Amino acid sequence: MKIVLHHFATKTVRTFSPGTASDVAWQEFLPSLAKQHGYVLNGILAVGCLHLSILTNEISERDDYQDIAANQMNTGMAQYREEVQNITTSNSEALFAFSTTMTTFVLGTAGTECRNALDSMKKERLPEDQREDTTTLLIQAICRIFRAVRGVLVILVPCYHHIRSGKFKPVLDRDWWPSPVPITPEELEQDNKLRSLEKLWAQPGKPIFAIPLHLSHDWAASPFPGDGPNDETFDWTAIMGWLTHLPLEFISLLEERRMEAWVLMAHYALLPAKVKVNPWLDGLATSIFMTSALVIGKENWEWIAWPAAVLKIDLEDVHAE
C-alpha cells in the first residue's frame, strides 16, 4: 500500500483542485487525519488505487486496483455513515476529507459505467429493450454523481466556517474567482439562450423549483489559481458549484425522466466540456448530453440543438445508435 499512498500524495491530490497551496494543504493535513480517522485512510487508498487503475494499460493490474479501490471505499463508507450522524468541529475536517474522496470515487466509477454503456450502444444497434436498460443505467449513474457532489453540503453547511478557517482554507478559499457576470457579446448571447430555458418551467402544470439557471455565469467565468491559466490549472471544481445547489426534488425529476429536467442538464454538459485535463471528468460532458438526448427523444431535440453544436455532437448519431 506504500506505493498507493505515495502515488496519492504526489499525483492524485493534484487532480482534486489546482494550485500549489491546495496541493500542499491536502499533502500536509491528510496524513494526520488518516491516523486519527480510519475511514479517511480508506478513502485515500480507494481513490489512489482507482487513479492507478486509470493510468495502467495492464488489464489484470487495472482489475486488481479497481477491486482494492472498491473494498477500501466500502470499508470507509461503513464508518463514515456512522460518523456523519453526529457532525462536530472535531470530526468535520475528517468527514470533509472523506466526502471529497468519496465524490471523486463516484465520479470515476460512475463515469466509467457511462462510457462503457455508450460504447456498447455504438458497437451494435441494440434491441429496444436493451436500449431502454442502457438508458436506465446511464440515468442511474449520472444521478449517483449528482447526489455524491451534493452530499458534501451535509458537512459544509454546519461547519463551513470552521473548516475554512483551518488547514483546509486553501482548498475552500475561492476569493480569487472572477466575477461570474457575462460581459462579452458571446457571453451575453449564451446568457440569453440559457435564460430561454425558463420557458420550459413556465407552462401550466409544470413543476416549479428554485433551479439556478445561471449556467451562463459559470460558463463565462474561467477561474484559475495564481499558477497561471492553462488546461492543467483550470479549477474544475468551479463547474461543480452549480450541482451542489440542485434540490433533491430536481434530481428526482431526472430519475423520473422529466423532459424539462434533462434539457437543462444537456445545457449543463457545456461546463464539464471545458475541462480538458482531469481523469475524473473524462467523458462526463458527452455522457450527460447523450443521456439527455436519449431520455427526451428525437421529438424534443430542438431544445438541445445549441449544446449539441457546441459539443460537436451529431444528434442523428444518437438516433442511429
Side-chain angles (χ1 to χ4, degrees):
M1 289 298 181
K2 289 184 178 179
I3 295 176
V4 178
L5 292 174
H6 177 74
H7 177 81
F8 181 92
T10 57
K11 304 293 183 181
T12 307
V13 290
R14 296 179 182 177
T15 68
F16 280 12
S17 57
T20 302
S22 178
D23 289 349
V24 171
W26 285 112
Q27 291 167 337
E28 292 185 349
F29 196 25
L30 277 181
S32 61
L33 287 176
K35 288 181 180 179
Q36 300 174 48
H37 306 272
Y39 58 93
V40 175
L41 177 59
N42 294 135
I44 291 172
L45 292 173
V47 176
C49 284
L50 190 62
H51 193 205
L52 284 166
S53 75
I54 294 173
L55 299 177
T56 184
N57 293 320
E58 296 292 333
I59 296 178
S60 60
E61 187 176 39
R62 181 190 63 199
D63 292 343
D64 288 342
Y65 277 133
Q66 289 178 346
D67 288 342
I68 296 173
N71 288 332
Q72 289 293 331
M73 182 53 63
N74 289 336
T75 301
M77 279 297 300
Q79 187 178 357
Y80 171 80
R81 289 193 181 101
E82 294 181 8
E83 287 283 318
V84 81
Q85 298 300 317
N86 183 30
I87 302 173
T88 66
T89 54
S90 62
N91 68 3
S92 60
E93 291 169 320
L95 291 172
F96 171 74
F98 181 82
S99 178
T100 300
T101 59
M102 178 181 64
T103 300
T104 304
F105 182 86
V106 173
L107 277 168
T109 54
T112 298
E113 288 180 30
C114 289
R115 290 193 299 275
N116 291 342
L118 290 172
D119 286 344
S120 69
M121 296 183 73
K122 290 179 180 179
K123 290 178 180 178
E124 57 180 321
R125 190 176 182 87
L126 299 177
E128 188 60 33
D129 59 336
Q130 292 185 29
R131 186 183 178 89
E132 177 67 16
D133 290 342
T134 301
T135 302
T136 298
L137 185 153
L138 288 166
I139 293 172
Q140 292 173 343
I142 289 173
C143 287
R144 188 159 71 250
I145 290 174
F146 294 166
R147 289 183 182 277
V149 172
R150 192 183 181 282
V152 72
L153 292 179
V154 174
I155 303 153
L156 287 182
V157 168
C159 297
Y160 176 78
H161 293 293
H162 171 74
I163 298 174
R164 189 181 180 186
S165 63
K167 294 182 179 180
F168 276 136
K169 177 177 172 57
V171 176
L172 293 178
D173 194 352
R174 291 296 185 272
D175 291 340
W176 48 266
W177 278 1
S179 177
V181 178
I183 298 176
T184 68
E186 180 183 6
E187 291 169 355
L188 291 171
E189 180 183 6
Q190 293 167 355
D191 184 69
N192 289 331
K193 289 180 178 179
L194 292 169
R195 290 184 183 281
S196 69
L197 295 178
E198 294 177 358
K199 297 177 182 177
L200 282 171
W201 302 90
Q203 301 174 29
K206 299 294 183 182
I208 302 297
F209 293 110
I211 306 299
L213 288 176
H214 52 272
L215 277 174
S216 55
H217 296 175
D218 297 311
W219 173 267
S222 298
F224 299 90
D227 302 57
N230 57 61
D231 287 342
E232 293 187 357
T233 60
F234 171 72
D235 189 354
W236 67 272
T237 63
I239 69 172
M240 293 297 169
W242 190 80
L243 290 180
T244 62
H245 293 92
L246 281 182
L248 290 175
E249 295 90 342
F250 182 81
I251 298 179
S252 295
L253 290 180
L254 294 173
E255 293 169 334
E256 295 167 7
R257 304 191 180 202
R258 291 299 296 259
M259 186 273 287
E260 301 86 355
W262 279 104
V263 166
L264 187 58
M265 296 319 302
H267 287 75
Y268 170 78
L270 296 173
L271 296 182
K274 295 181 69 177
V275 183
K276 306 302 181 183
V277 182
N278 189 285
W280 314 117
L281 298 184
D282 183 29
L284 180 61
T286 299
S287 295
I288 293 175
F289 182 86
M290 294 291 282
T291 303
S292 300
L294 288 167
V295 171
I296 71 175
K298 188 174 183 178
E299 64 276 12
N300 292 306
W301 281 354
E302 62 182 287
W303 282 101
I304 60 174
W306 175 54
V310 175
L311 295 172
K312 298 180 180 179
I313 294 177
D314 188 345
L315 284 168
E316 290 303 321
D317 289 342
V318 179
H319 184 66
E321 290 175 1

